[in-house]
Amino acid sequence: MSKTFCPIPWNSISIVNNGDFRVCCNADYKDRIGTLLKDENNKTLNASDDDWSEVRNSPLMKDVRKKILNGEWHSECERCRQEEKSGLKSHRQKQVLDWSKWFGNFINVDKAKKVTSSDGTLDIENQKIDHIDMRYGNFCNLKCRMCGPQDSHMWNKDYEKLHGKTEFKTHDWFVGSQGYLDNFEKYGFNAHQIYSAGGEPLIIEEHKESLRSLVKNNKAKDIRLEYNTNLTTIPPEVFELWKNFKEIRIAASIDGFGKVFNYQRSPANFDKVYQNIVKLDQAEDMNIRLWFHPTVTVFNIFHMPEFIKWKLVDSGLKNWNRINSPSPIVSYHMCHTPKYYCVRLLPQHLKDKVKEHYDTYMDWVYTTDLPDNVKTEFVKKCKGIVSYMYNEDYTDQLDKFVSITKQLDKIRKQNILEIVPEYAELFSK
């Protein structure tokens, strides 16, 4: 197996909040020019206007496939390269596992070569769209710290207070779009998996309508649904529709418990969200896989081992990150951007303090009666976060982190030192 091979450039499409296409959800289109998919005339391709399958042979996608088949890392894959370098399980590795173990129709290097020309052109007739990554705009009910108005319209007012203006708007590219409806019927009905994010997909009417359409046309039984959701709400209709699908996968954006979660995911309330967590944990009449998918930032870096311990010991949950699953702890990802919220910005003495804190929890896990695979995974994830943190120095972002955090705390009537008292010296300067 190639160390850079990933099924996504062959079997998937990824649609961002305004309907434009990108290589995949781990490619950070917001901070680099040119990473949205464009045609040969440099026109940005959009899901409301362009055929969803034909965009797979845009110049950028061809270049990505060409480099992967040469065993190279493409610049679009930098996040995965960085994570693997730090010993973390990357999105690429998760997709390789997904499309081999869970789906059974894995596209490997040999098959990829058979359906790919030397210039990276894909034979779209012989390699269909198996996976649709669908972003239903930026309509959301939260304004998470590491997010922004491009992903949540709730951010608009705070952004304007921070910067004196806002160039962002609510994205609803799919509303009333015949192009969306035609493409969804053509490709969504035959996909193996549909992954929905937002915004917050569970509160968006067009998402519900898509589920109704799949059920009505007898397609649901063959489709897995996967979500990134903040779980602030589970609409009763959506919950009932889910029972018709082959499998439901929930990656819950839960970054901790109690006040840490409330701070990072404002204005969420953990106690209310926990009720929805329990509801899914006890769901017996659907095929469901559940995992916590926290974003590790400077706000919860000290809290992560405590959160994992809570999940294992005190949460009372049985079906979230099951003990016999590939990830029996949590399935976190690192905050890469904005850089001023990345853990790599911490000065050396605080990085050392984080490591010391994690060492304490790694010692703790070996004193428990937890299964050996859980202990091993606990230590592996802790070491992965610490390794990622030390790998690069972003201390040039430190002043920006302090400045923006102070301003946002004032706007939202919050106080970071109630969440991370370890930063008292940073914020006293």
Side-chain angles (χ1 to χ4, degrees), residues 57-106:
N57 276 323
S58 63
L60 179 57
M61 290 302 300
K62 290 195 288 187
D63 191 51
V64 170
R65 285 190 289 267
K66 184 178 177 180
K67 289 199 172 181
I68 287 177
L69 290 182
N70 286 334
E72 303 173 38
W73 284 102
H74 196 279
S75 60
E76 291 298 304
C77 309
E78 180 61 17
R79 281 187 174 185
C80 285
R81 190 188 73 82
Q82 287 282 346
E83 288 169 353
E84 292 180 28
K85 178 182 176 183
S86 300
L88 300 173
K89 183 178 285 186
S90 70
H91 185 64
R92 180 192 76 85
Q93 291 172 319
K94 292 173 185 175
Q95 291 298 310
V96 167
L97 176 64
D98 233 5
W99 292 96
S100 57
K101 181 174 181 180
W102 298 113
F103 290 97
N105 56 348
F106 179 48

Side-chain angles (χ1 to χ4, degrees), residues 155-168:
W155 246 98
N156 288 349
K157 290 182 179 179
D158 287 356
Y159 187 92
E160 190 169 1
K161 291 176 181 177
L162 281 172
H163 302 285
K165 63 176 181 177
T166 179
E167 63 271 30
F168 296 97

Side-chain angles (χ1 to χ4, degrees), residues 252 254 277 291-294 307 310-311 317 320-321 330-332:
I254 310 295
I277 291 172
W291 64 93
F292 292 121
H293 201 225
F307 173 52
W310 169 85
K311 183 266 169 183
L317 304 171
W320 287 88
N321 291 88
V330 297
S331 305
Y332 65 78

